[in-house]
Amino acid sequence: MEERIQKAKELILELSEKDYLRLKRSLGVGMYLFNLLKEFLEPSYLELLKEFDKLPLEKKKAFLKELEGRLGQDFKSKEVDFSQVEKKPIESFFKPVEELKALDEREKKLLKSFGIKDLYSALWFAPLRYEDRRLIHTVKTTKSGQKVALKLKVVSTGFDLKEKYPAYVECEDGTDRLVLRFRYKDQRALFRFKRGQELLVYGRLKEYKGEKYMVHPEFLNQEEAGKIVPFYYIRTEGELRSISAKKRHELLRKSLSKLVEYARYMPEYLPESLLSKRNLPNIGESLYLLHRPTGSEEELNNFSTPFQKRLVYEDLLLFQLALQVVRSQVKTLPAVSLKNPEESLQVFKKSLPFSLTSAQERVLEEILRDVKSTSPMSRLLQGDVGSGKTVVAMAVAYAFACEGYQSAVMVPTEILAQQHYNSFKELLEPLGVRVGLLTSSVKGSLRRSTLTHTQRGNLQVLIGTHALIQEDVEFHRLAFVVIDEQHRFGVLQRKLLLEKGKGFYPHCLVMSATPIPRTLALSLYGDLDLSVIDQKPVGRKPVITKLLFESEFDKVLQAVREELSKGHKVYVIYPLIEESERLQLKSAVQEHQRWKELLPDRQVLLLHGKLPEEEKRHVVEKFKQEGDVLVSTTVVEVGVDVKEATLMVIESAHRFGLSQLHQLRGRVGRSDLQSYCYLVVPEEVKADAQTLQRLKVVVKSNDGFEIAEQDMKLRGPGELLGESQSGYFGFWVANLARAQDRAFLEKAKEDALELLREDPQLSKHPELRKVLLHRYGSKIDLSYMA
């Protein structure tokens, strides 16, 4: 390969001599270079090489210059020599933004507004996407639908008010003609275009009835054209709101470009053996090329260039190292060991008005093995909606209460806290266990009383939201912690609750109804053991799901009236609270009014996330007691448990992910009554085969794990993990919606385990240890490494 590149470079050099004199006389140059480079050059270059001999001389010259640069950059960046630079200590990259002399005050403020705290996080601030604005295309070789930068010459201008885009500029580039079309309603807008004027434009080339055109292309200056441009995630709040997106990008790129040069001084901190095993480049070069990239636009936007792979791998490796360090650290901490939990469990099971499933029994055995040990349990309990995870948590809490210990149950919402409080109280208080509730709505004397009884040990189970981790909450003998809906809590919150154990580290059970496929769960929750409830309680009938179009609304209304006539209750779900013109989605507030008019003799209630917590609880309670229809946003997704609810109508169902639809559907079918779910979509979805295929997965299957697998195949796990994949897991470059990144997750886990087996404290890799503490020290407790 290197030999072929060298031959190509030598030919380009020869052709460029004496102002490309030989190029003017040479034939077959394009096909010669094509055959020489076809095995590794990107398609966009190869297409041009096929057409090369037909290009005008100026285009040939420009393309050969571009190709020469491409061949130089692809294998070793010529712009910067990373090997000859003296490296700085890694700590110097942890310097806060305020202390960076290369930036002015405005730039420092700008970077901080993006969450960039120091030089290290600035270099890791990855572009969301890249645009190839190199002048390597011609009108003739560009395919319809392709976004390209072109150098054009104005031929003429015209104006026709009858057209959708009245103003147009005819151009050519020596290979073909291209029309630039604009919405301008005033002919004077065309005065700036002069015959023979050269333009640099960037846009999507389209073709209709043989005419090639661009609509409102972006006009580039010399500096913007001729390179690959990175685009970053842009915040719009605060003082940046008044600045256009284009200007914000310019400011951010300018600030980051001042810092990119520092990347060449960064020392390599990953072991050489890992880099060669995974065939990855060094860190300095990778960070440099993240912001000043080479390669093809397709590769860059797939994050599949060698330098991007290096950063994805490192992102995941550091995450795995942090998880494994926490796991081994927790194993060394002292925990309460239950003496005879089996006996308590028998008492609890006899008191239940139903039998546990064999899956629940199996999971309880796994948990009992853990809580009889003096090492703290760290277990993730996954179970589909309605599989009976809460009863398992109750059984274990009862076993702890019988031996004089307290349990805490932390949930993400007040509605769910109230729900758990009611069900724990109903099943545990007859057995002599006192249950308390603590949320931000519990105030005054009731709050003081709850805190006092918790501190004295009079309350054996305390259920609440993040209010449980506040400083004034003290336990007497906390030994068991349940955290429901894991991905809604940061690791830090989990840590704070576990620290309330006073001398003992509580056993921890994390429960999630988000069915993440087993392999992904094992890697993402590497600090936890995994248990799965894969059975529904006896007597539960699968929910019958139907897909309907808005034109079939009569069927929906008929089904609603039918269920109400049987004394059952109905949910109607909308994706928004207020109307959105942009997305044309129906909103809960407007539609609540419509449903009241459609069902004048029924009680139709409204629930959404912006209601105060007190009001939310009141609405849910009212729906349970006397309501008929609950019009709601996805706030019902977690924790609303109404056994009489047998029909769920989900409007604009195409706007939800499959796993979210399944979660919502889980609010019905919570008894032995036959339940239904109607997915309603607009007419235009009929033409969208991909969306219909997605929705049919939910129609055909009631198995959350099967749906999760399909969801991952169709749109990656971003939907399963919600915002958590970047926020909760702390990834900067990795994105688990990409299959290659998920493959790296497994490799990173394998490498992290091997590294820590040989060097548990990372004392042989001090720079790596410093980076790990810098990245994760504040998120999870790595104090014993410091």
Side-chain angles (χ1 to χ4, degrees), residues 339-356:
K339 301 292 173 279
N340 195 6
E342 292 87 355
E343 201 174 298
S344 316
L345 217 58
Q346 289 309 319
V347 173
F348 176 76
K349 285 197 286 195
K350 276 180 192 163
S351 74
L352 291 174
F354 51 83
S355 301
L356 296 181

Side-chain angles (χ1 to χ4, degrees), residues 240-256:
L240 295 173
R241 192 174 288 169
S242 58
I243 308 171
S244 71
K246 187 175 180 183
K247 188 68 180 164
R248 281 197 297 269
H249 263 119
E250 281 171 16
L251 288 170
L252 183 60
R253 273 199 287 266
K254 186 181 164 210
S255 308
L256 290 173

Side-chain angles (χ1 to χ4, degrees), residues 185 244 444 502 565 598:
K185 295 286 190 282
S244 71
K502 284 186 180 173
S565 70
L598 288 168

Side-chain angles (χ1 to χ4, degrees), residues 277-278 745-755:
K277 178 182 176 185
R278 301 296 177 199
L745 185 62
E746 287 297 300
K747 290 170 185 168
K749 184 180 181 183
E750 180 191 313
D751 293 345
L753 288 167
E754 195 178 322
L755 203 55

Side-chain angles (χ1 to χ4, degrees), residues 159 167 169 182 184-193:
F159 193 79
V169 180
F182 304 93
Y184 306 143
K185 295 286 190 282
D186 188 335
Q187 200 164 352
R188 285 174 296 183
L190 293 170
F191 290 175
R192 63 187 174 124
F193 299 103

Side-chain angles (χ1 to χ4, degrees), residues 260-515:
V260 167
E261 295 300 326
Y262 289 109
R264 62 199 293 196
Y265 300 105
M266 190 178 279
E268 182 53 71
Y269 42 82
L270 289 190
E272 190 54 49
S273 56
L274 275 188
L275 294 181
S276 55
K277 178 182 176 185
R278 301 296 177 199
N279 196 22
L280 298 168
N282 70 52
I283 183 62
E285 188 172 8
S286 299
L287 288 172
Y288 183 88
L289 291 172
L290 186 69
H291 303 280
R292 294 198 182 156
T294 62
S296 76
E297 185 180 346
E298 188 183 0
E299 262 191 316
L300 287 164
N301 286 323
N302 289 333
F303 270 67
S304 59
T305 64
F307 68 85
Q308 289 167 314
K309 284 181 178 176
R310 150 72 202 237
L311 299 174
V312 167
Y313 170 79
E314 184 183 322
D315 220 0
L316 297 169
L317 179 76
L318 290 174
F319 173 68
Q320 288 297 331
L321 284 170
L323 285 185
Q324 299 306 330
V325 164
V326 168
R327 186 183 177 95
S328 53
Q329 184 186 6
V330 166
K331 294 285 181 207
T332 64
L333 298 170
V336 160
S337 161
L338 291 188
K339 301 292 173 279
N340 195 6
E342 292 87 355
E343 201 174 298
S344 316
L345 217 58
Q346 289 309 319
V347 173
F348 176 76
K349 285 197 286 195
K350 276 180 192 163
S351 74
L352 291 174
F354 51 83
S355 301
L356 296 181
T357 63
S358 55
Q360 287 170 314
E361 296 274 14
R362 183 188 70 243
V363 165
L364 275 170
E365 275 175 36
E366 290 166 359
I367 292 170
L368 289 194
R369 259 199 311 276
D370 287 352
V371 298
K372 286 165 79 174
S373 157
T374 51
S375 286
M377 168 175 74
S378 296
R379 190 170 281 282
L380 171 66
L381 173 57
Q382 276 199 298
D384 212 342
V385 278
S387 61
K389 297 181 295 295
T390 312
V391 175
V392 168
M394 258 186 241
V396 180
Y398 177 67
F400 275 94
C402 288
E403 298 195 25
Y405 298 109
Q406 289 171 298
S407 301
V409 182
M410 186 158 86
V411 298
T413 66
E414 296 216 2
I415 291 178
L416 189 53
Q418 186 72 47
Q419 195 86 49
H420 274 351
Y421 173 66
N422 295 341
S423 47
F424 269 73
K425 209 172 164 184
E426 184 189 338
L427 291 177
L428 292 185
E429 289 210 337
L431 298 173
V433 176
R434 291 190 63 194
V435 181
L437 176 68
L438 191 65
T439 66
S440 53
S441 301
V442 177
K443 293 185 172 75
S445 59
L446 180 55
R447 179 182 168 82
R448 286 193 296 277
S449 164
T450 303
L451 292 176
T452 304
H453 286 301
T454 302
Q455 191 182 2
R456 290 178 183 168
N458 300 334
L459 285 175
Q460 284 91 26
V461 179
L462 184 63
I463 291 162
T465 53
H466 55 271
L468 293 184
I469 60 177
Q470 288 168 357
E471 272 182 43
D472 58 349
V473 181
E474 274 190 53
F475 289 84
H476 179 59
R477 296 177 87 192
L478 178 65
F480 178 50
V481 165
V482 179
I483 296 173
D484 201 354
E485 283 305 315
Q486 165 68 353
H487 68 285
R488 298 185 181 224
F489 291 110
V491 186
L492 195 59
Q493 287 177 304
R494 191 165 106 203
K495 188 183 112 189
L496 287 170
L497 184 55
L498 292 169
E499 281 170 356
K500 292 185 178 283
K502 284 186 180 173
F504 286 100
Y505 195 83
H507 294 281
C508 177
L509 183 67
V510 172
M511 302 199 303
S512 178
T514 308

